[in-house]
Amino acid sequence: MALTLKGSGKIIGNKELLPPIDLTVQDHDVAAIQADIEHMDAFLSLFEQDKSYLANEIMYDGNAVAGQKELFIYSPDMGEYPRLTPEKMVRFWGQLYNVDFDTSKILTLTELTHVRTKKIKLLTYYEQKRLQFARSLIQKTSIYIFKEPTYQLDLQSKKVFNHVLEEIKKMHGVVILLTSSLEEGIRLGSKVYRLNDRGMQEVELDEEIIEQEEVKDEIPNDEELFQQRFEKISAKTEDKFILFDPLEIDYIETRERQTVLHVNNEEFYSTVTMKDLETKLLPYGFYRCHRSYLVNLQRVREVIVWSKNSYSLTLDNRNEQVVPLSKSKYGELKALLNW
């Protein structure tokens, strides 16, 4: 079984709010879509309002999706009753959806057992978000859509969402994640897409980055290594070029065929390709942790194991940024850093 969107788009007047979309999500899969807020909202409106789409545009298991009864939609502004406790709120949802379940198991999975009798209005921001995740385990449906589920969450709450997502994947249905962070999309999705004015493009997730044959003749000799230690990495901003010392750079990513340098929580676009940067920055301790990411290992503070197939690197900078680590690179990095 699968969810399919064929040619779905949204136009009001002469303005295209959402380009045509051709998307198929198989049962038990997670499709992560990186987009800005405007495109997220336009995408959600295809499901939320009957007038926003035609019956043959959105199909699940060969039948037209007929409205919100077939959906679970999570958004950061979901509301609860602040005077209730997590335990009473979870039981209320069970009655609302006419579902029998183990309340203690839900609270344990979302790490809310210690506050089960505490009023929701007194919970921390992170505890309230974990309670919202619990709702997705109670409402039994075929299509689960999450908008920015991990935005501004602490590490532990992100881990809780990982556990919740694994539970959902065991059930019957599909999951769509809308996120502004490509890193989160790569970490959480089995398939990853970018949604912008040009439409929906799938992000290549072939993580077996075996480029030795391509670059083996490009390995620099000692003289070249010596020269590279004095190199600067150039980036263009407005009408001027900036030259960065390699060790100033936290990490580098490719985004829509452009090379982006991340320096002190700012972004700068470079004209140098990722492949060339990988060769130049090797002597400075940079590591290709993912097809789309090159990280300064001096900036890595910890390696996070989300699941047996999902890993990330947390950087030691002001925002504690997180970059993905591919499954194929995990073992190699473990041996390299000798942990």
Side-chain angles (χ1 to χ4, degrees), residues 199-241:
M200 183 93 79
Q201 299 93 31
E202 185 172 358
V203 176
E204 179 61 60
L205 288 183
D206 180 7
E207 297 175 348
E208 298 297 329
I209 313 172
I210 306 176
E211 300 183 12
Q212 287 91 338
E213 293 185 3
E214 297 180 15
V215 301
K216 63 183 179 181
D217 294 330
E218 302 174 20
I219 299 176
N221 57 36
D222 292 341
E223 182 180 351
E224 289 172 330
L225 288 177
F226 180 79
Q227 292 174 349
Q228 287 175 3
R229 289 191 176 91
F230 295 95
E231 284 199 57
K232 296 284 187 177
I233 305 301
S234 64
K236 193 175 188 303
T237 174
E238 297 179 352
D239 59 346
K240 59 185 177 182
F241 281 90

Side-chain angles (χ1 to χ4, degrees), residues 1-5 23 25-29 31 43-44 46-48 53 58-74 135-136 139-146 168 171-177:
M1 290 179 285
L3 171 72
T4 59
L5 288 80
L23 175 67
V25 187
Q26 299 295 332
D27 210 16
H28 305 294
D29 272 356
F43 182 89
L44 279 174
L46 296 177
F47 295 88
E48 293 177 329
Y53 59 90
I58 302 180
M59 311 281 288
Y60 179 74
D61 192 22
N63 300 309
V65 175
Q68 293 190 45
K69 289 184 179 179
E70 299 182 40
L71 307 170
F72 171 84
I73 298 180
Y74 169 91
R135 188 170 183 172
S136 66
Q139 181 181 345
K140 305 300 182 183
T141 184
S142 301
I143 303 167
Y144 298 82
I145 303 177
F146 292 86
I168 292 175
M171 299 187 290
H172 172 68
V174 302
V175 179
I176 296 176
L177 298 176

Side-chain angles (χ1 to χ4, degrees), residues 184-289:
E184 286 296 274
I186 291 172
R187 182 175 70 81
L188 295 168
S190 51
K191 287 191 175 182
V192 183
Y193 303 86
R194 280 196 176 101
L195 175 60
N196 52 36
D197 292 335
R198 295 188 293 276
M200 183 93 79
Q201 299 93 31
E202 185 172 358
V203 176
E204 179 61 60
L205 288 183
D206 180 7
E207 297 175 348
E208 298 297 329
I209 313 172
I210 306 176
E211 300 183 12
Q212 287 91 338
E213 293 185 3
E214 297 180 15
V215 301
K216 63 183 179 181
D217 294 330
E218 302 174 20
I219 299 176
N221 57 36
D222 292 341
E223 182 180 351
E224 289 172 330
L225 288 177
F226 180 79
Q227 292 174 349
Q228 287 175 3
R229 289 191 176 91
F230 295 95
E231 284 199 57
K232 296 284 187 177
I233 305 301
S234 64
K236 193 175 188 303
T237 174
E238 297 179 352
D239 59 346
K240 59 185 177 182
F241 281 90
I242 300 177
L243 300 178
F244 291 107
D245 186 293
L247 297 183
E248 292 182 87
I249 302 170
D250 295 326
Y251 69 99
I252 301 166
E253 68 170 314
T254 54
R255 184 191 304 162
E256 297 181 350
R257 298 185 179 181
Q258 292 185 296
T259 306
V260 184
L261 310 181
H262 292 263
V263 182
N264 295 326
N265 299 304
E266 293 187 80
E267 295 183 357
F268 301 90
Y269 288 83
S270 175
T271 57
V272 186
T273 68
M274 178 71 88
K275 182 178 177 181
D276 288 342
L277 285 174
E278 181 180 9
T279 302
K280 289 184 178 182
L281 294 175
L282 179 64
Y284 299 94
F286 279 74
Y287 181 72
R288 189 75 172 270
C289 59

